[in-house]
Amino acid sequence: MARTYLDPSPLPGPGQWADQDLVALTVGMDAPLVLRAYVNGMFPMPIADEVSDELPPADWIGWFSPVRRGILPLDGLRVPRSLRKSARHFEVTVDRDFPAVLAACGGQDREGGWIDEGIVAVYTELHRAGRAHSVEAWTPDGQLAGGLYGIGYGGLFAGESMFHDPRVGRDASKVALMGLVAMLRAGGHPERRLLDVQWRTEHLASLGVVEVPRTEYLARLRRALALPQPRWAMPPDWRTASLGQ
């Protein structure tokens, strides 16, 4: 059973985690706590289900460390010919418009949306501190067609969410992912860097995402955190970089 903390300052370590994805609950969160969670293998998500009769659901934050963690090996991204062709039609940037990417990922029309005002406030603060980053895919006429955002710390990039605008960029989120992988690989030591996607879904599996046990994820995390951060800028050769098959 997940531990519950009314004071959000402490979080349990791996030795206290239950054998389930949800490892802790707190009332509220702040940017330092969120960053500390990532470097210890956890990530936050508001809990929609009612946890207490005394507090509204929006006040509860669940802290997750999946028993089976989804990661994308930097040499394992699957880039079919059709996607390489689509990439020619987009410009990909880093941190050009973090607020717009965050807003699009949290669009009210998205099924299962969990990005609320609290998430926006915390991740915006982390972006200003240089810890949260966005990757954007733009059309030739300057429309934001897709993108993604996540947390960067050392050799870790913890992806949080991605989106595409079907009106202007069916493959735009995948193209943004291509750019992210190229940028992380350009930072050196690609075999030790860690691109975390939280859970493996069928869609993410089609892009090369695999599952690893929690213990293996934590070991990889320790190695990744010791690396320097990548340069948060898109390599000029991102379209042709070797991104796997």
Side-chain angles (χ1 to χ4, degrees), residues 198-230:
Q198 301 179 350
W199 287 283
R200 177 184 180 271
T201 64
E202 289 187 13
H203 170 66
L204 291 175
S206 71
L207 298 174
V209 167
V210 299
E211 283 185 338
V212 296
R214 179 191 282 166
T215 52
E216 181 178 340
Y217 174 83
L218 293 175
R220 290 181 181 229
L221 176 63
R222 287 192 295 271
R223 293 193 294 269
L225 292 175
L227 294 175
Q229 291 197 72

Side-chain angles (χ1 to χ4, degrees), residues 18-182:
D19 188 23
Q20 61 183 42
D21 291 357
L22 178 63
V23 297
L25 292 165
T26 64
V27 179
M29 63 178 182
D30 58 24
L33 180 67
V34 169
L35 191 59
R36 191 159 66 248
Y38 280 102
V39 300
N40 285 284
M42 293 172 279
F43 58 85
M45 190 173 292
I47 298 294
D49 297 332
E50 187 168 333
V51 178
S52 168
D53 293 334
E54 299 178 359
L55 292 168
D59 287 341
W60 288 98
I61 301 297
W63 300 88
F64 293 84
S65 183
V67 175
R68 303 287 299 178
R69 193 73 164 242
I71 65 169
L72 177 57
L74 296 186
D75 62 354
L77 178 64
R78 295 174 185 163
V79 186
R81 183 177 300 176
S82 60
L83 183 54
R84 290 184 185 273
K85 186 175 181 179
S86 292
R88 301 172 191 164
H89 305 292
F90 295 101
E91 177 191 4
V92 176
T93 60
V94 181
D95 290 335
R96 179 179 291 182
D97 200 338
F98 182 88
V101 171
L102 191 57
C105 287
Q108 295 182 357
D109 57 339
R110 299 194 69 176
E111 183 179 354
W114 49 269
I115 299 176
D116 60 17
E117 292 182 0
I119 291 288
V120 169
V122 166
Y123 283 80
T124 298
E125 182 177 346
L126 288 168
H127 174 64
R128 291 171 179 161
R131 291 300 184 187
H133 300 275
S134 60
V135 179
E136 305 90 7
W138 305 87
T139 65
D141 61 353
Q143 296 183 73
L144 180 61
L148 58 86
Y149 80 96
I151 296 293
Y153 198 108
L156 167 70
F157 187 88
E160 278 294 314
S161 187
M162 58 198 305
F163 84 98
H164 74 277
D165 184 337
R167 299 169 301 174
V168 294
R170 183 172 58 88
D171 286 335
S173 60
K174 298 177 185 177
V175 172
L177 183 61
M178 283 179 62
L180 172 66
V181 171

